[in-house]
Amino acid sequence: MGDRFCRFYRFFIQFIQKYYRPLFVAAGLTLAVFCFYRLDVKYVDSWDEARHGVNAYEMIQNGDYIRHTYNYEVDDWNLKPSVSYWGIVLGFRLFGYGVFGLRFISALSYLLTGIGCGLFAKRYGKEASLLVMGFFCANTRPLSAHLARSGDADAPYLLFFTFAMLAMLRIRKNHKNLYACGLLFSLAFLTKSWHAGMIAVIGGLYLLVTRELFAIKAREWGWFLLSVFGPLLFWFGWRYTRDGFAFLDRMIKVDLLARTGGANYEGHEFPFSFYYDTVFGHEAYIYRWLLLICILGIGMGLFVVLRSRIWKRTVLEEGIGYLLWFFIPFFGFSCIRTKLIWYCYPCTVPLFLAAAIFLGYVLQVSIPAKQGYDELRLKSGGAEKGVSSLKNELFWAGKWMAAFLCIFMVGYYMRGAYFEVIRGAHGDGFQLFIQESAERDSSYAGRRAYIMVPTENPENLGTWDQNMLFLAEISGDFHCMDGGVEGYLTETEPAVLYLEQGQYEQYMDRFADVEVLCRNERYLLLGN
């Protein structure tokens, strides 16, 4: 039985080695399915996603790609620079004004992040490379909210953050990676603003601890500073032409100071343990198991080093890099007042890489080339040196457990992510009606639009939620107005009105000269 296990296990590893490329392509296609399949099914979220969509759409309509507007008024609600909006603009240009175009760049960014990490992990082993791809597919939380399948800034930011860290880990080998790290930091800042400061802290500490900071020449520092400040100054100079220092001033006072140190600013203040309780320690996600694997890997690594008294500097430096990459954002965002789930998403990537590296090592270690189980036992000293066959049994049992753990863990959480996030995606009835009721080339497109449909806040009846406004703009190029039925009835310009069937019946006697443009069993679109 042991000999059969040995042969089958050797076949399993050799299969991965021989067919790595098609396996990696298959993993990439699977990740692409998790990113793009049914991407436009889920309802549009009313906060960052809808707001970014409106800002990007109105950039195109205004012909102004540096200043953000919401409902055609200057908008400083998000206080982020422009790169994420440009990504959504690109999605609209490629796929038209729709939910798929809104989310396209986020899905692509997440796909590129996964593929980039998978290729980077190949230097540790082909098994580690494939495991990283599996972990990205099993990444339930970011797939479900505010990242891979959501039209906001977080997925492009994660892409730039991750590639900056990968470049950082290779600075010692080639100092040109320092310039890449600087450029990626700059792009991350232009995407997510002050969140990119974590990249600077991690990179600075890494260069200091590894003493590579003192090996960088003055000319190299010059190119690094140019890679950082060149894009930043270009963006700021362009923005300055619109409103001077006003936007930057609000970025500092609101987006930095108020949200990091303000007392429960916007109602998002939580305990220090928030990120562990809701993400990394939560039983519904894969992360707590990956944390356990990483802890075991660190423990075994320390045991081997202390026992053999042999260690490699490059391994130690990379280990420090991964620890800084995880702990700096984790503790940094845990310390600030405002806490949102997606702030900790960059911490998931080093967890994927470290766990995959350790599991890949366990799968590879001491794999015989051609020996059978009994030959391996004899060669290792099982008969000659008094080593019991129990140790060999435990050795192979451990490897089988590691292989089974990899397959089961990735498969289990991938299945959950697929059925929960992709198959479980559902739309909103009113949002679907907006998209079905208007086309940009219809006779009533471009009119003022009023609404009398309940919003997330019942007190705001007659006003537009952000997601409703976004869909009204991209579907019918409507100019959304508050005021409900009364506002519509007193409107002197051509206009349309969205309302529920019950509201229509209530005001029917006042709609004598109103045309029903579109209706279903619950909602109507009226026009004058």
Side-chain angles (χ1 to χ4, degrees), residues 67 74 76 236 238-248 250:
R67 182 167 52 186
V74 176
D76 292 335
F236 176 73
W238 192 1
R239 179 73 205 205
Y240 182 83
T241 62
R242 298 298 188 272
D243 51 17
F245 289 100
F247 186 79
L248 180 62
R250 287 189 290 272

Side-chain angles (χ1 to χ4, degrees), residues 437-447 475-478 496 517 525:
S437 64
E439 295 182 0
R440 299 177 59 80
D441 57 355
S442 64
S443 59
Y444 50 89
R447 294 184 181 181
S475 300
D477 192 31
F478 294 131
V496 297
L517 301 175
L525 174 64

Side-chain angles (χ1 to χ4, degrees), residues 456-478:
E456 294 181 355
N457 187 347
E459 298 178 358
N460 293 337
L461 185 65
T463 64
W464 291 86
D465 275 350
Q466 295 179 93
N467 50 10
M468 298 173 179
L469 188 145
F470 165 69
L471 290 167
E473 285 195 346
I474 66 169
S475 300
D477 192 31
F478 294 131

Side-chain angles (χ1 to χ4, degrees), residues 226-338:
L226 180 63
S227 69
V228 171
F229 290 106
L232 294 179
L233 291 174
F234 171 78
W235 167 78
F236 176 73
W238 192 1
R239 179 73 205 205
Y240 182 83
T241 62
R242 298 298 188 272
D243 51 17
F245 289 100
F247 186 79
L248 180 62
D249 181 67
R250 287 189 290 272
M251 280 180 64
I252 295 172
K253 290 180 179 178
V254 177
D255 205 35
L256 177 62
L257 300 179
R259 286 176 176 153
T260 58
N264 202 24
Y265 185 78
E266 297 178 330
H268 297 144
E269 184 174 355
F270 298 99
F272 179 85
S273 61
F274 173 75
Y275 292 113
Y276 180 80
D277 294 338
T278 56
V279 180
F280 294 101
H282 200 288
E283 62 183 8
Y285 308 127
I286 195 173
Y287 316 114
R288 66 172 182 170
W289 299 109
L290 299 183
L291 277 173
L292 179 60
I293 290 168
C294 290
I295 291 170
L296 290 174
I298 293 172
M300 291 182 65
L302 291 174
F303 174 77
V304 170
V305 169
L306 293 175
R307 185 176 182 181
S308 64
R309 297 183 180 180
I310 298 174
W311 57 277
K312 293 183 178 180
R313 179 177 176 179
T314 54
V315 174
L316 180 62
E317 289 179 348
E318 289 194 9
I320 291 172
Y322 287 116
L323 289 173
L324 291 172
W325 185 356
F326 177 82
F327 282 109
I328 294 299
F330 181 81
F331 285 117
F333 288 124
S334 294
C335 288
I336 66 175
R337 295 290 188 93
T338 299

Side-chain angles (χ1 to χ4, degrees), residues 20 36 41 91 123 256 281 304 424:
Y20 165 75
F36 291 103
V41 171
R123 59 197 294 266
L256 177 62
V304 170

Side-chain angles (χ1 to χ4, degrees), residues 53-107:
V54 172
N55 292 154
Y57 174 79
E58 293 183 6
M59 276 185 169
I60 298 173
Q61 301 308 305
N62 296 329
D64 185 345
Y65 293 91
I66 193 64
R67 182 167 52 186
H68 323 137
T69 63
Y70 179 80
N71 207 10
Y72 298 97
E73 295 183 0
V74 176
D75 179 36
D76 292 335
W77 183 72
N78 260 322
L79 292 169
K80 301 292 189 290
S82 306
V83 166
S84 62
Y85 307 107
W86 295 340
I88 297 173
V89 167
L90 177 61
F92 288 154
R93 294 295 195 191
L94 292 174
F95 302 101
Y97 297 117
V99 177
F100 188 90
L102 168 70
R103 295 168 175 166
F104 169 76
I105 200 66
S106 290

